Amino acid sequence: MSPFLLSLAPGTTVQHDDAQGLVTVRHRWGSTPAGPGGRPLADALTALAQGPVAPDALTGPLAETGLALLLHCLDQLGHTLCHHATAAGTRPLATAVPLAPEAAPRPGPLPPGAVTLDHAAHLRPLDGTLVAESPRSRFRVRLDDPRTAVVFAPLAGPTTRQELFAALPDLTEEEVTDLLTLLHVAGFLHPVDGDGPGAAALPAGWSFHELLAHDGSRAGLRDRLYGPVFPLRGTEAPAPPVAPARPGRTITLRRPDLDEARRKDRTFTDVLESRTSARAYGENPLTVDELAAWLYRAARVRTVLDAQPEDDRPYAITSRPYPSAGSAYELELYLAVHRCAGLGRGLYHYDALAHALTALPGGPAEVDALVREGTAATGGPPPDVHVTVASRIKRLSWKYAAHAYALTLKNTGVLLQTLHLVATAMGLSGCILGGGDGETPARAFGLRPHTEIPVGAFVLGSAAGRPLR
């Protein structure tokens, strides 16, 4: 039996069919049949639902066969069973709360030697209480007693139980042992392998923030809202489908003849097969008409469609040449123009609805900084145009919970591929940048933190070898 007090997670209910004696436990992930245990088993499980309760207190009314069935039920209910460490058996210290259908307490006793904290573990406030979480654990450990937070500092490195006893005078040895056991059961502690971190280390090739982002972007692994659940519908209006026009001088762009493009373009297969990251440019600069055609063919707004609440689409959407999650089209294009025939050097925002550029404040220093970023990333000469892709993230987070950021990165990849293919079809040099400084474009274009965020970049120029005219 568990050394901890136990309870069923909040919202879990126990149902007993008096006629057939069947007991069923219903929880956030569905239901688990507990078997034909009759009223004594139902009463024991109901006590857990009202817990915390000591396991020994559950066994009294049960016969030997009923006790075996209860132990089997507890094993099957690991995904909804909370484990409570307490001081002197009464005052709560910490609770391991299951977060996923796969949650199961780690078997076996606390390792006797040195242990260390999982390198993906972290502390954060939640509902007024400090909690420990890790993308590699299917439990959250809630620190019910503030004194328990001091346990985590020495566990950042290899630590023995005796060293913890000496380092934590405000906790008794029994309390420290119970906390360590709870962290072990929840998958937060690992034995030290020689001088190295052993199983506590991050998986090879993974960084902490990438592991956390991946875990948070997938469904089914956490007790959180996920998917198109419109989490902000009741608190604020959706962001507009098209970004409001930026103040500044407007440069209307020429609209290309798409019928002519259809006649003259290479086949789609030829464009795909010949696409390559081009990091060299012609002696002559890109022209404003080429830039206009490229933007129009890849990123313009084709149509705007009103909201249709009757179809569970309570927000207006647009149609553009590339796909977007929920038709949100949250991505904006900002240009740092280094050289372009017919267009002055400077900073611009692309108005995808009007097919126009808006000149933005900012001098040569801002253009230079962005062009240098493109040059450093490609190892080539300065591009004609550096393009920043920025996300109006609330266009997605208004509808999607938990994975709006993951979706905007996917949308960014789609847009960057479209920009690249159109550049190839037009015979221009283009290259997607694999990274970049988020602060440089944010300062240059006046992007609001956490509201419009840089998520990608592209460099464009005339084709290498294009002769002077």
Side-chain angles (χ1 to χ4, degrees), residues 263-285:
R263 291 193 301 270
K264 292 184 176 180
D265 272 357
R266 291 175 284 172
T267 67
F268 181 66
T269 299
D270 187 33
V271 170
L272 277 179
E273 293 301 313
S274 60
R275 185 216 58 78
T276 186
S277 295
R279 302 175 178 88
Y281 312 101
E283 295 180 71
N284 270 3

PDB file of all heavy atoms in Angstrom, residues 263-285:
ATOM      1  N   ARG A 263       0.715  31.579 -67.906  1.00  0.00           N
ATOM      2  CA  ARG A 263       1.229  31.180 -69.226  1.00  0.00           C
ATOM      3  C   ARG A 263       2.741  31.063 -69.237  1.00  0.00           C
ATOM      4  O   ARG A 263       3.303  30.192 -69.896  1.00  0.00           O
ATOM      5  CB  ARG A 263       0.790  32.203 -70.293  1.00  0.00           C
ATOM      6  CG  ARG A 263      -0.707  32.201 -70.581  1.00  0.00           C
ATOM      7  CD  ARG A 263      -1.009  33.003 -71.842  1.00  0.00           C
ATOM      8  NE  ARG A 263      -0.559  34.389 -71.731  1.00  0.00           N
ATOM      9  CZ  ARG A 263      -1.307  35.380 -71.263  1.00  0.00           C
ATOM     10  NH1 ARG A 263      -2.550  35.134 -70.844  1.00  0.00           N
ATOM     11  NH2 ARG A 263      -0.842  36.622 -71.206  1.00  0.00           N
ATOM     12  N   LYS A 264       3.421  31.935 -68.508  1.00  0.00           N
ATOM     13  CA  LYS A 264       4.874  32.003 -68.611  1.00  0.00           C
ATOM     14  C   LYS A 264       5.607  31.186 -67.537  1.00  0.00           C
ATOM     15  O   LYS A 264       6.776  30.851 -67.728  1.00  0.00           O
ATOM     16  CB  LYS A 264       5.327  33.465 -68.520  1.00  0.00           C
ATOM     17  CG  LYS A 264       4.912  34.303 -69.722  1.00  0.00           C
ATOM     18  CD  LYS A 264       5.466  35.712 -69.606  1.00  0.00           C
ATOM     19  CE  LYS A 264       5.140  36.547 -70.841  1.00  0.00           C
ATOM     20  NZ  LYS A 264       5.690  37.921 -70.734  1.00  0.00           N
ATOM     21  N   ASP A 265       4.960  30.917 -66.410  1.00  0.00           N
ATOM     22  CA  ASP A 265       5.649  30.219 -65.321  1.00  0.00           C
ATOM     23  C   ASP A 265       6.072  28.810 -65.725  1.00  0.00           C
ATOM     24  O   ASP A 265       5.417  28.151 -66.547  1.00  0.00           O
ATOM     25  CB  ASP A 265       4.731  30.109 -64.095  1.00  0.00           C
ATOM     26  CG  ASP A 265       4.833  31.316 -63.179  1.00  0.00           C
ATOM     27  OD1 ASP A 265       5.649  32.205 -63.463  1.00  0.00           O
ATOM     28  OD2 ASP A 265       4.080  31.358 -62.186  1.00  0.00           O
ATOM     29  N   ARG A 266       7.142  28.355 -65.113  1.00  0.00           N
ATOM     30  CA  ARG A 266       7.526  26.966 -65.243  1.00  0.00           C
ATOM     31  C   ARG A 266       6.494  26.078 -64.554  1.00  0.00           C
ATOM     32  O   ARG A 266       5.677  26.542 -63.765  1.00  0.00           O
ATOM     33  CB  ARG A 266       8.908  26.751 -64.615  1.00  0.00           C
ATOM     34  CG  ARG A 266      10.034  27.404 -65.390  1.00  0.00           C
ATOM     35  CD  ARG A 266      11.351  27.245 -64.654  1.00  0.00           C
ATOM     36  NE  ARG A 266      11.448  28.142 -63.518  1.00  0.00           N
ATOM     37  CZ  ARG A 266      12.429  28.096 -62.622  1.00  0.00           C
ATOM     38  NH1 ARG A 266      13.374  27.160 -62.727  1.00  0.00           N
ATOM     39  NH2 ARG A 266      12.478  28.956 -61.633  1.00  0.00           N
ATOM     40  N   THR A 267       6.561  24.783 -64.830  1.00  0.00           N
ATOM     41  CA  THR A 267       5.621  23.877 -64.179  1.00  0.00           C
ATOM     42  C   THR A 267       5.906  23.830 -62.680  1.00  0.00           C
ATOM     43  O   THR A 267       7.010  24.148 -62.220  1.00  0.00           O
ATOM     44  CB  THR A 267       5.733  22.465 -64.751  1.00  0.00           C
ATOM     45  OG1 THR A 267       7.014  21.921 -64.409  1.00  0.00           O
ATOM     46  CG2 THR A 267       5.548  22.467 -66.264  1.00  0.00           C
ATOM     47  N   PHE A 268       4.897  23.399 -61.941  1.00  0.00           N
ATOM     48  CA  PHE A 268       5.049  23.314 -60.499  1.00  0.00           C
ATOM     49  C   PHE A 268       6.179  22.348 -60.125  1.00  0.00           C
ATOM     50  O   PHE A 268       6.980  22.628 -59.235  1.00  0.00           O
ATOM     51  CB  PHE A 268       3.730  22.857 -59.857  1.00  0.00           C
ATOM     52  CG  PHE A 268       3.781  22.756 -58.363  1.00  0.00           C
ATOM     53  CD1 PHE A 268       3.959  23.884 -57.576  1.00  0.00           C
ATOM     54  CD2 PHE A 268       3.658  21.532 -57.731  1.00  0.00           C
ATOM     55  CE1 PHE A 268       4.010  23.803 -56.198  1.00  0.00           C
ATOM     56  CE2 PHE A 268       3.705  21.435 -56.342  1.00  0.00           C
ATOM     57  CZ  PHE A 268       3.880  22.575 -55.584  1.00  0.00           C
ATOM     58  N   THR A 269       6.240  21.232 -60.811  1.00  0.00           N
ATOM     59  CA  THR A 269       7.310  20.271 -60.533  1.00  0.00           C
ATOM     60  C   THR A 269       8.674  20.886 -60.796  1.00  0.00           C
ATOM     61  O   THR A 269       9.631  20.692 -60.029  1.00  0.00           O
ATOM     62  CB  THR A 269       7.127  19.004 -61.376  1.00  0.00           C
ATOM     63  OG1 THR A 269       5.878  18.393 -61.030  1.00  0.00           O
ATOM     64  CG2 THR A 269       8.255  18.011 -61.142  1.00  0.00           C
ATOM     65  N   ASP A 270       8.789  21.643 -61.881  1.00  0.00           N
ATOM     66  CA  ASP A 270      10.070  22.282 -62.204  1.00  0.00           C
ATOM     67  C   ASP A 270      10.450  23.288 -61.114  1.00  0.00           C
ATOM     68  O   ASP A 270      11.619  23.380 -60.712  1.00  0.00           O
ATOM     69  CB  ASP A 270       9.979  22.970 -63.563  1.00  0.00           C
ATOM     70  CG  ASP A 270      11.328  23.514 -64.021  1.00  0.00           C
ATOM     71  OD1 ASP A 270      12.351  22.891 -63.689  1.00  0.00           O
ATOM     72  OD2 ASP A 270      11.347  24.561 -64.686  1.00  0.00           O
ATOM     73  N   VAL A 271       9.476  24.040 -60.613  1.00  0.00           N
ATOM     74  CA  VAL A 271       9.740  25.010 -59.550  1.00  0.00           C
ATOM     75  C   VAL A 271      10.200  24.286 -58.278  1.00  0.00           C
ATOM     76  O   VAL A 271      11.190  24.676 -57.641  1.00  0.00           O
ATOM     77  CB  VAL A 271       8.492  25.862 -59.259  1.00  0.00           C
ATOM     78  CG1 VAL A 271       8.677  26.701 -57.997  1.00  0.00           C
ATOM     79  CG2 VAL A 271       8.185  26.772 -60.443  1.00  0.00           C
ATOM     80  N   LEU A 272       9.493  23.202 -57.918  1.00  0.00           N
ATOM     81  CA  LEU A 272       9.880  22.446 -56.726  1.00  0.00           C
ATOM     82  C   LEU A 272      11.292  21.873 -56.862  1.00  0.00           C
ATOM     83  O   LEU A 272      12.103  21.952 -55.937  1.00  0.00           O
ATOM     84  CB  LEU A 272       8.903  21.300 -56.496  1.00  0.00           C
ATOM     85  CG  LEU A 272       7.597  21.598 -55.760  1.00  0.00           C
ATOM     86  CD1 LEU A 272       6.759  20.335 -55.661  1.00  0.00           C
ATOM     87  CD2 LEU A 272       7.860  22.144 -54.365  1.00  0.00           C
ATOM     88  N   GLU A 273      11.585  21.291 -58.029  1.00  0.00           N
ATOM     89  CA  GLU A 273      12.865  20.622 -58.212  1.00  0.00           C
ATOM     90  C   GLU A 273      14.032  21.597 -58.342  1.00  0.00           C
ATOM     91  O   GLU A 273      15.171  21.252 -58.041  1.00  0.00           O
ATOM     92  CB  GLU A 273      12.802  19.703 -59.433  1.00  0.00           C
ATOM     93  CG  GLU A 273      11.868  18.516 -59.262  1.00  0.00           C
ATOM     94  CD  GLU A 273      12.270  17.643 -58.087  1.00  0.00           C
ATOM     95  OE1 GLU A 273      13.465  17.311 -57.966  1.00  0.00           O
ATOM     96  OE2 GLU A 273      11.388  17.313 -57.266  1.00  0.00           O
ATOM     97  N   SER A 274      13.747  22.813 -58.793  1.00  0.00           N
ATOM     98  CA  SER A 274      14.833  23.779 -58.973  1.00  0.00           C
ATOM     99  C   SER A 274      14.974  24.738 -57.795  1.00  0.00           C
ATOM    100  O   SER A 274      15.891  25.552 -57.768  1.00  0.00           O
ATOM    101  CB  SER A 274      14.619  24.589 -60.262  1.00  0.00           C
ATOM    102  OG  SER A 274      13.381  25.293 -60.213  1.00  0.00           O
ATOM    103  N   ARG A 275      14.060  24.632 -56.828  1.00  0.00           N
ATOM    104  CA  ARG A 275      14.146  25.516 -55.673  1.00  0.00           C
ATOM    105  C   ARG A 275      15.436  25.249 -54.901  1.00  0.00           C
ATOM    106  O   ARG A 275      15.783  24.105 -54.604  1.00  0.00           O
ATOM    107  CB  ARG A 275      12.954  25.303 -54.739  1.00  0.00           C
ATOM    108  CG  ARG A 275      12.915  26.294 -53.562  1.00  0.00           C
ATOM    109  CD  ARG A 275      12.407  25.657 -52.300  1.00  0.00           C
ATOM    110  NE  ARG A 275      13.200  24.519 -51.884  1.00  0.00           N
ATOM    111  CZ  ARG A 275      14.381  24.598 -51.273  1.00  0.00           C
ATOM    112  NH1 ARG A 275      14.927  25.773 -50.999  1.00  0.00           N
ATOM    113  NH2 ARG A 275      15.037  23.499 -50.932  1.00  0.00           N
ATOM    114  N   THR A 276      16.135  26.291 -54.577  1.00  0.00           N
ATOM    115  CA  THR A 276      17.349  26.180 -53.777  1.00  0.00           C
ATOM    116  C   THR A 276      17.535  27.471 -52.999  1.00  0.00           C
ATOM    117  O   THR A 276      16.958  28.512 -53.349  1.00  0.00           O
ATOM    118  CB  THR A 276      18.580  25.916 -54.676  1.00  0.00           C
ATOM    119  OG1 THR A 276      19.718  25.684 -53.846  1.00  0.00           O
ATOM    120  CG2 THR A 276      18.864  27.100 -55.578  1.00  0.00           C
ATOM    121  N   SER A 277      18.287  27.413 -51.934  1.00  0.00           N
ATOM    122  CA  SER A 277      18.557  28.612 -51.143  1.00  0.00           C
ATOM    123  C   SER A 277      19.613  29.438 -51.867  1.00  0.00           C
ATOM    124  O   SER A 277      20.790  29.058 -51.893  1.00  0.00           O
ATOM    125  CB  SER A 277      19.024  28.236 -49.737  1.00  0.00           C
ATOM    126  OG  SER A 277      18.001  27.571 -49.038  1.00  0.00           O
ATOM    127  N   ALA A 278      19.192  30.529 -52.480  1.00  0.00           N
ATOM    128  CA  ALA A 278      20.088  31.385 -53.266  1.00  0.00           C
ATOM    129  C   ALA A 278      20.583  32.527 -52.389  1.00  0.00           C
ATOM    130  O   ALA A 278      19.787  33.334 -51.898  1.00  0.00           O
ATOM    131  CB  ALA A 278      19.367  31.918 -54.497  1.00  0.00           C
ATOM    132  N   ARG A 279      21.899  32.595 -52.199  1.00  0.00           N
ATOM    133  CA  ARG A 279      22.499  33.587 -51.298  1.00  0.00           C
ATOM    134  C   ARG A 279      23.375  34.593 -52.043  1.00  0.00           C
ATOM    135  O   ARG A 279      24.157  35.307 -51.430  1.00  0.00           O
ATOM    136  CB  ARG A 279      23.321  32.872 -50.235  1.00  0.00           C
ATOM    137  CG  ARG A 279      22.521  31.872 -49.407  1.00  0.00           C
ATOM    138  CD  ARG A 279      23.417  31.113 -48.443  1.00  0.00           C
ATOM    139  NE  ARG A 279      22.670  30.181 -47.609  1.00  0.00           N
ATOM    140  CZ  ARG A 279      22.393  28.931 -47.948  1.00  0.00           C
ATOM    141  NH1 ARG A 279      22.796  28.463 -49.128  1.00  0.00           N
ATOM    142  NH2 ARG A 279      21.713  28.143 -47.135  1.00  0.00           N
ATOM    143  N   ALA A 280      23.259  34.636 -53.364  1.00  0.00           N
ATOM    144  CA  ALA A 280      23.989  35.609 -54.176  1.00  0.00           C
ATOM    145  C   ALA A 280      22.975  36.373 -55.023  1.00  0.00           C
ATOM    146  O   ALA A 280      21.899  35.854 -55.345  1.00  0.00           O
ATOM    147  CB  ALA A 280      25.014  34.903 -55.060  1.00  0.00           C
ATOM    148  N   TYR A 281      23.327  37.611 -55.387  1.00  0.00           N
ATOM    149  CA  TYR A 281      22.374  38.488 -56.059  1.00  0.00           C
ATOM    150  C   TYR A 281      23.024  39.129 -57.276  1.00  0.00           C
ATOM    151  O   TYR A 281      24.250  39.170 -57.408  1.00  0.00           O
ATOM    152  CB  TYR A 281      21.869  39.560 -55.077  1.00  0.00           C
ATOM    153  CG  TYR A 281      21.451  38.960 -53.758  1.00  0.00           C
ATOM    154  CD1 TYR A 281      22.293  39.025 -52.631  1.00  0.00           C
ATOM    155  CD2 TYR A 281      20.255  38.287 -53.635  1.00  0.00           C
ATOM    156  CE1 TYR A 281      21.933  38.442 -51.435  1.00  0.00           C
ATOM    157  CE2 TYR A 281      19.879  37.693 -52.433  1.00  0.00           C
ATOM    158  CZ  TYR A 281      20.724  37.779 -51.338  1.00  0.00           C
ATOM    159  OH  TYR A 281      20.364  37.179 -50.159  1.00  0.00           O
ATOM    160  N   GLY A 282      22.176  39.632 -58.163  1.00  0.00           N
ATOM    161  CA  GLY A 282      22.667  40.248 -59.388  1.00  0.00           C
ATOM    162  C   GLY A 282      23.265  41.631 -59.150  1.00  0.00           C
ATOM    163  O   GLY A 282      23.071  42.245 -58.100  1.00  0.00           O
ATOM    164  N   GLU A 283      23.992  42.103 -60.153  1.00  0.00           N
ATOM    165  CA  GLU A 283      24.554  43.455 -60.059  1.00  0.00           C
ATOM    166  C   GLU A 283      23.443  44.490 -60.031  1.00  0.00           C
ATOM    167  O   GLU A 283      23.529  45.489 -59.326  1.00  0.00           O
ATOM    168  CB  GLU A 283      25.501  43.707 -61.231  1.00  0.00           C
ATOM    169  CG  GLU A 283      26.740  42.819 -61.232  1.00  0.00           C
ATOM    170  CD  GLU A 283      27.632  43.129 -62.410  1.00  0.00           C
ATOM    171  OE1 GLU A 283      28.257  44.215 -62.412  1.00  0.00           O
ATOM    172  OE2 GLU A 283      27.698  42.303 -63.336  1.00  0.00           O
ATOM    173  N   ASN A 284      22.403  44.241 -60.817  1.00  0.00           N
ATOM    174  CA  ASN A 284      21.248  45.129 -60.777  1.00  0.00           C
ATOM    175  C   ASN A 284      20.363  44.770 -59.598  1.00  0.00           C
ATOM    176  O   ASN A 284      20.179  43.581 -59.274  1.00  0.00           O
ATOM    177  CB  ASN A 284      20.428  44.990 -62.060  1.00  0.00           C
ATOM    178  CG  ASN A 284      20.877  45.953 -63.128  1.00  0.00           C
ATOM    179  OD1 ASN A 284      21.839  46.690 -62.932  1.00  0.00           O
ATOM    180  ND2 ASN A 284      20.216  45.931 -64.261  1.00  0.00           N
ATOM    181  N   PRO A 285      19.782  45.744 -58.941  1.00  0.00           N
ATOM    182  CA  PRO A 285      18.912  45.439 -57.801  1.00  0.00           C
ATOM    183  C   PRO A 285      17.560  44.888 -58.239  1.00  0.00           C
ATOM    184  O   PRO A 285      17.173  44.965 -59.414  1.00  0.00           O
ATOM    185  CB  PRO A 285      18.745  46.796 -57.116  1.00  0.00           C
ATOM    186  CG  PRO A 285      18.860  47.785 -58.229  1.00  0.00           C
ATOM    187  CD  PRO A 285      19.899  47.210 -59.170  1.00  0.00           C
TER     188      PRO A 285
END
